[in-house]
Amino acid sequence: MRKRTIGTGILVACAVGLIVYLAFHVRIAPVPNAVAALKTFGMTCGSCAGKIEKALKPLKGVSGVEVDVNGGWVLVGYDTQTASPEEFAGAVRKAGFQSWPMEQMSLADFRQVAGRDFGTKVARASGCGGGGCGTGGGCGSSK
Protein backbone atom coordinates (compact mmCIF):
# COMPACT_ATOMS: atom_id res chain seq x y z
CA MET A 1 0.00 0.00 0.00
CA ARG A 2 2.82 2.39 0.90
CA LYS A 3 4.65 1.80 -2.42
CA ARG A 4 1.45 2.58 -4.30
CA THR A 5 1.03 5.91 -2.44
CA ILE A 6 4.65 6.89 -3.16
CA GLY A 7 4.24 6.00 -6.84
CA THR A 8 1.04 8.04 -7.08
CA GLY A 9 2.74 10.98 -5.37
CA ILE A 10 5.63 10.86 -7.83
CA LEU A 11 3.21 10.70 -10.76
CA VAL A 12 1.26 13.72 -9.45
CA ALA A 13 4.50 15.68 -8.88
CA CYS A 14 5.62 14.95 -12.46
CA ALA A 15 2.25 16.05 -13.85
CA VAL A 16 2.35 19.30 -11.87
CA GLY A 17 5.93 19.92 -12.99
CA LEU A 18 4.94 19.41 -16.63
CA ILE A 19 2.01 21.82 -16.30
CA VAL A 20 4.25 24.48 -14.71
CA TYR A 21 6.87 24.02 -17.45
CA LEU A 22 4.27 24.36 -20.21
CA ALA A 23 2.74 27.42 -18.55
CA PHE A 24 6.05 29.27 -18.83
CA HIS A 25 7.30 27.93 -22.17
CA VAL A 26 4.29 27.60 -24.44
CA ARG A 27 3.33 30.88 -26.08
CA ILE A 28 -0.27 31.31 -27.14
CA ALA A 29 -0.41 33.51 -30.22
CA PRO A 30 -2.56 36.61 -29.90
CA VAL A 31 -5.65 36.89 -32.06
CA PRO A 32 -4.87 39.25 -34.95
CA ASN A 33 -7.22 42.07 -35.90
CA ALA A 34 -4.97 43.68 -38.53
CA VAL A 35 -2.25 42.99 -41.07
CA ALA A 36 0.75 45.27 -41.62
CA ALA A 37 2.57 45.20 -44.96
CA LEU A 38 6.23 46.19 -44.75
CA LYS A 39 8.28 46.97 -47.86
CA THR A 40 11.62 45.32 -47.23
CA PHE A 41 14.90 45.33 -49.17
CA GLY A 42 18.02 43.20 -48.78
CA MET A 43 16.30 39.79 -48.70
CA THR A 44 17.88 37.26 -51.05
CA CYS A 45 16.82 33.81 -49.86
CA GLY A 46 14.79 31.64 -47.52
CA SER A 47 17.40 32.11 -44.83
CA CYS A 48 16.68 35.85 -44.93
CA ALA A 49 12.99 35.08 -44.51
CA GLY A 50 13.79 32.92 -41.49
CA LYS A 51 15.89 35.69 -39.96
CA ILE A 52 13.00 38.15 -40.34
CA GLU A 53 10.48 35.70 -38.92
CA LYS A 54 12.77 35.08 -35.97
CA ALA A 55 12.99 38.84 -35.33
CA LEU A 56 9.21 39.41 -35.52
CA LYS A 57 7.49 36.37 -34.02
CA PRO A 58 8.60 36.96 -30.41
CA LEU A 59 7.26 40.54 -30.40
CA LYS A 60 4.23 41.13 -28.22
CA GLY A 61 1.01 41.18 -30.25
CA VAL A 62 2.39 39.34 -33.30
CA SER A 63 0.29 36.34 -34.32
CA GLY A 64 1.92 35.46 -37.63
CA VAL A 65 4.50 36.49 -40.21
CA GLU A 66 4.62 35.88 -43.96
CA VAL A 67 7.71 36.81 -45.98
CA ASP A 68 7.77 37.24 -49.77
CA VAL A 69 11.49 37.36 -50.56
CA ASN A 70 11.06 37.87 -54.31
CA GLY A 71 8.46 40.63 -53.96
CA GLY A 72 10.19 42.36 -51.04
CA TRP A 73 7.18 42.21 -48.71
CA VAL A 74 6.77 41.19 -45.09
CA LEU A 75 3.21 40.72 -43.84
CA VAL A 76 2.56 40.70 -40.10
CA GLY A 77 -0.72 39.64 -38.52
CA TYR A 78 -1.06 41.39 -35.18
CA ASP A 79 -3.23 42.82 -32.41
CA THR A 80 -3.45 46.61 -32.81
CA GLN A 81 -3.87 47.03 -29.04
CA THR A 82 -0.39 45.69 -28.28
CA ALA A 83 1.81 46.28 -31.35
CA SER A 84 2.42 48.67 -34.24
CA PRO A 85 3.83 48.49 -37.79
CA GLU A 86 6.62 50.89 -36.81
CA GLU A 87 7.83 48.39 -34.21
CA PHE A 88 7.88 45.65 -36.84
CA ALA A 89 9.88 47.73 -39.31
CA GLY A 90 12.34 48.58 -36.53
CA ALA A 91 12.81 44.90 -35.68
CA VAL A 92 13.39 44.04 -39.35
CA ARG A 93 15.93 46.86 -39.66
CA LYS A 94 17.66 45.63 -36.52
CA ALA A 95 17.88 42.19 -38.19
CA GLY A 96 19.89 43.81 -41.02
CA PHE A 97 17.34 44.74 -43.69
CA GLN A 98 15.86 47.99 -44.97
CA SER A 99 12.18 48.07 -44.06
CA TRP A 100 9.30 50.48 -43.51
CA PRO A 101 5.52 50.19 -43.06
CA MET A 102 3.56 50.65 -46.31
CA GLU A 103 0.04 49.55 -45.42
CA GLN A 104 -2.07 48.62 -42.43
CA MET A 105 -5.40 46.89 -43.02
CA SER A 106 -8.08 44.98 -41.19
CA LEU A 107 -8.35 41.23 -41.68
CA ALA A 108 -11.47 41.78 -43.80
CA ASP A 109 -9.62 44.25 -46.03
CA PHE A 110 -6.70 41.82 -46.34
CA ARG A 111 -9.10 39.04 -47.31
CA GLN A 112 -10.66 41.28 -49.97
CA VAL A 113 -7.30 42.39 -51.40
CA ALA A 114 -5.45 39.05 -51.20
CA GLY A 115 -8.39 36.75 -51.84
CA ARG A 116 -7.45 34.61 -48.83
CA ASP A 117 -7.26 34.68 -45.06
CA PHE A 118 -4.03 35.77 -43.43
CA GLY A 119 -1.81 32.81 -42.60
CA THR A 120 -3.29 30.40 -45.15
CA LYS A 121 -0.45 30.78 -47.62
CA VAL A 122 3.20 31.22 -46.72
CA ALA A 123 5.05 33.25 -49.34
CA ARG A 124 8.48 32.10 -48.20
CA ALA A 125 11.07 31.35 -50.84
CA SER A 126 13.89 28.87 -50.41
CA GLY A 127 17.42 28.82 -51.73
CA CYS A 128 19.56 31.82 -52.53
CA GLY A 129 18.39 34.32 -55.10
CA GLY A 130 20.40 36.54 -57.42
CA GLY A 131 22.62 38.24 -54.85
CA GLY A 132 23.40 35.22 -52.71
CA CYS A 133 23.59 35.10 -48.96
CA GLY A 134 25.68 37.68 -47.18
CA THR A 135 25.23 40.50 -49.70
CA GLY A 136 23.48 43.79 -49.16
CA GLY A 137 23.30 43.48 -45.38
CA GLY A 138 20.90 40.55 -45.57
CA CYS A 139 21.29 37.02 -44.24
CA GLY A 140 24.73 35.88 -43.26
CA SER A 141 25.84 39.49 -42.89
CA SER A 142 27.55 40.69 -39.76
CA LYS A 143 25.79 44.08 -39.94
Side-chain angles (χ1 to χ4, degrees):
M1 181 77 161
R2 182 176 167 99
K3 287 184 182 181
R4 190 173 182 182
T5 304
I6 292 172
T8 303
I10 291 172
L11 182 62
V12 168
C14 288
V16 169
L18 178 62
I19 291 170
V20 169
Y21 173 82
L22 292 175
F24 288 104
H25 292 89
V26 173
R27 179 176 175 238
I28 298 173
V31 177
N33 61 5
V35 175
L38 309 176
K39 189 62 181 165
T40 304
F41 290 99
M43 301 182 293
T44 59
C45 63
S47 180
C48 294
K51 190 174 182 181
I52 290 170
E53 289 172 1
K54 186 176 179 180
L56 291 171
K57 284 184 177 179
L59 297 179
K60 186 175 182 177
V62 172
S63 65
V65 177
E66 295 181 11
V67 179
D68 177 2
V69 171
N70 295 329
W73 292 100
V74 176
L75 302 174
V76 183
Y78 70 103
D79 175 11
T80 58
Q81 298 297 314
T82 56
S84 72
E86 291 77 21
E87 290 176 69
F88 308 145
V92 172
R93 285 191 296 269
K94 190 173 180 181
F97 304 90
Q98 297 175 5
S99 185
W100 58 93
M102 291 297 289
E103 185 75 35
Q104 176 182 342
M105 61 192 93
S106 69
L107 291 176
D109 290 342
F110 178 82
R111 187 178 307 113
Q112 187 174 17
V113 170
R116 65 180 177 87
D117 290 325
F118 181 79
T120 59
K121 177 182 173 188
V122 177
R124 184 176 177 171
S126 63
C128 286
C133 293
T135 61
C139 53
S141 172
S142 60
K143 289 186 177 181

